[in-house]
Amino acid sequence: MSEQVDRRYGPATLPRSRGPLSAAVLDALRRPPHDLPAGLGADLDPADPITDEDLQLTLFVCYELHYRGWRGVDEAWEWQPTLLALRAEAERPFEAALRRLVGAPSVPAAGVAAGLAELVAADDGPPLAATLQRRADLSQFREFVAHRSVYHLREADPHSWALPRLGGPAKAALVEIQTDEYGNGRLDRMHAELFRRTLQRLGLDTSYGAHLDAAPAVTLATNNLMSLFGLHRRWRGALLGHLAAFEMTSSLPNRRYGNGLRRLGLDEVATRFYDEHVEADAVHEQIAAHDMCGGLVRAEPALAPDVLFGAAAGLAVDRLFAAHLLDSWAAGRSSLRTPVPPALPPKVSLVALPAVAPPAPPALV
């Protein structure tokens, strides 16, 4: 496999440490698998686990071993017992912080789909999408895209962990959603590939994990939340709830993102990722709430509170993410740990994907 293909699709290069715990883990991963020192991470007690750089990077590094791994890291680290024990220690304060953030959402008498609709209707997060549509400059939009690249270059993968843990209607509904996310088996229609083209049009590095060092803890937390739910069978209900909330709050923001790029003079190749989600997620929203989450709860009624917890946690962490970006921009500083680099020259492009015909641009709202 060529170096270019490696960079596009992973594994990524190990990031820089952000504190003593992530430094110890990264140092260990650069060597052959071995037992970590006893008690490493046992005294973790960050003031705010969701925005703690050391904790969130440690979790991200551990979780990525279950995705595409790290360049130069022995794959046997994935199931090394002491590393798994350390990850469990790091997950405890993260889970506790999520519980404090959203509490225990109650399931209405009308059922889990109604509960999801209530959570979404009550969500009054900061107006990030409206800002990107109407006022953000190109440098701010490039920052936003760099943040989101941590997830979108592996879009749908965390939720796919639920597939072997489900059966019946819930599984069929999840397969229907994920099939669209993966482009129905066509590379040029995979959402991760469409996003790669957006990165390319904005002159940003399109390599898998390229912007990880620049992403702050709150950005990593939005990703770690999905991995936490996806890698634990006990959180399968929360994982589906997270996906449902994701789909139910996606269409309007993506319309605004696409319109924001058009306002800044970007073409249909740059906006295609967002335009694709306007229609797709409007359909996915109904499938996710009624067929997927509803189907799960009909089969396993005890999971209804977990479904709503996962949705509430996803919405809450995304609100923190949006607030971080808007607060940073209002203060006149970058929302990234390091400023987004200047646009790459046009010659630094990846192998062209097959051409796709973009949909008609959505109307301004």
Side-chain angles (χ1 to χ4, degrees), residues 16-63:
R16 294 187 290 273
S17 64
R18 303 185 188 181
L21 187 60
S22 58
V25 170
L26 290 166
D27 179 66
L29 293 181
R30 293 185 178 96
R31 293 179 280 142
H34 58 274
D35 287 346
L36 300 179
L40 184 63
D43 298 326
L44 274 174
D45 187 25
D48 182 0
I50 294 174
T51 60
D52 187 274
E53 299 288 348
D54 197 25
L55 175 69
Q56 291 298 331
L57 182 62
T58 297
L59 283 171
F60 191 93
V61 168
C62 291
Y63 288 146

Side-chain angles (χ1 to χ4, degrees), residues 28-117:
L29 293 181
R30 293 185 178 96
R31 293 179 280 142
H34 58 274
D35 287 346
L36 300 179
L40 184 63
D43 298 326
L44 274 174
D45 187 25
D48 182 0
I50 294 174
T51 60
D52 187 274
E53 299 288 348
D54 197 25
L55 175 69
Q56 291 298 331
L57 182 62
T58 297
L59 283 171
F60 191 93
V61 168
C62 291
Y63 288 146
E64 185 61 24
L65 292 167
H66 300 284
Y67 289 97
R68 303 185 196 178
W70 296 103
R71 189 171 306 157
V73 172
D74 192 316
E75 293 185 350
W77 271 112
E78 181 182 7
W79 298 108
Q80 209 287 329
T82 60
L83 184 62
L84 292 177
L86 172 63
R87 193 189 86 188
E89 290 291 344
E91 286 174 338
R92 288 190 184 98
F94 186 34
E95 285 192 37
L98 294 170
R99 289 291 187 190
R100 291 193 297 271
L101 187 62
V102 303
S106 60
V107 183
V112 73
L116 289 168

Side-chain angles (χ1 to χ4, degrees), residues 276-327:
E276 181 81 11
H277 284 75
V278 173
E279 295 183 9
D281 289 351
V283 176
H284 291 173
E285 156 180 359
Q286 298 302 316
I287 298 170
H290 295 278
D291 301 331
M292 184 181 71
C293 292
L296 175 70
V297 170
R298 285 191 295 274
E300 300 185 80
L303 295 183
D306 287 349
V307 171
L308 296 182
F309 173 74
L315 293 171
V317 176
D318 273 352
R319 286 195 296 271
L320 296 177
F321 168 79
H324 169 75
L325 269 66
L326 294 176
D327 290 348

